[in-house]
Amino acid sequence: MASTGAGEGNKTAAGSSLHSKTLLKSQSLYQYILESTVFPREPDCLRELRVATATHPMAGMAASPDEVQLLGLLIEMLGAKNAVEVGVFTGYSLLATALALPDDGKEVNKGWFDFAFVDADKVNFLNYHERLLQLVRVGGLIAYDNTLWSGSVVASPDEPLAAATREFNVAIAADPRVHVCQIAIADGLTLCRRVA
Ligand code: CA
């Protein structure tokens, strides 16, 4: 019975509410990605938290499952032991981060980090960037969420948060301290590897 209930919750959470988290235009293609690759490999505790988060009035703020899967893979590849997350909603991506860390890794609030995920107030992204360049080691990874801001960076570039996001994207692209990549997953994910 328990697994049936989880399956139904899964289906509900996998519907239009999750599609709203991605810039991918095709809902059926996004559904396919989730069902073929993401959900079959999703740990039980992560699925339960995702389903619980889906009923939250501000569920749109939670990271998307495919994005969380990507971050988990990157954390594994990085061999990360210490991670920091700036902007925790229900802790969905935080839990995914914790799951991807080896047993001797732990979440701490200060120190020397291998990985950081930033999903906080967009107007302060550049401030977080400066701070995180102190906290994340050379070779470590900083991931910034919502860096395409629902496409508003081109659709309505003068909207305040779109303008702040554009300013951030310009600054990051020009920052010699990081290697960067803008990924069109979820609402836009910018990866920065610290190189100096
Ligand atoms: Ca976000």
Side-chain angles (χ1 to χ4, degrees), residues 133-185:
L133 282 175
Q134 306 297 318
L135 294 174
V136 173
R137 66 170 170 87
V138 171
L141 190 68
I142 310 171
Y144 293 96
D145 199 27
N146 304 98
T147 52
L148 294 175
W149 201 241
S150 305
S152 66
V153 286
V154 290
S156 49
D158 296 330
E159 187 263 326
L161 284 178
T165 303
R166 287 171 63 94
E167 182 188 357
F168 173 78
N169 290 339
V170 167
I172 289 294
D175 190 336
R177 299 168 295 179
V178 290
H179 287 172
V180 300
C181 183
Q182 166 69 257
I183 301 181
I185 191 173

Side-chain angles (χ1 to χ4, degrees), residues 2-15 18 39 47 50-52 54:
S3 62
T4 303
E8 285 168 358
N10 221 25
K11 204 176 287 181
T12 303
L18 281 179
F39 291 156
R47 185 184 66 246
R50 175 171 56 75
V51 171

Side-chain angles (χ1 to χ4, degrees), residues 9-10 28 44 46 61 71 80 82 87-88 96 103 112 131 151 164 172:
N10 221 25
S28 58
D44 288 346
L46 204 49
M61 284 178 64
L71 295 174
N82 296 315
V88 176
D103 288 343
W112 197 245
R131 183 79 180 112
I172 289 294

Side-chain angles (χ1 to χ4, degrees), residues 60-63 67 117-119 122 145-146 187:
M61 284 178 64
E67 179 183 28
F117 179 60
V118 183
D119 191 16
K122 311 309 166 190
D145 199 27
N146 304 98
D187 190 27

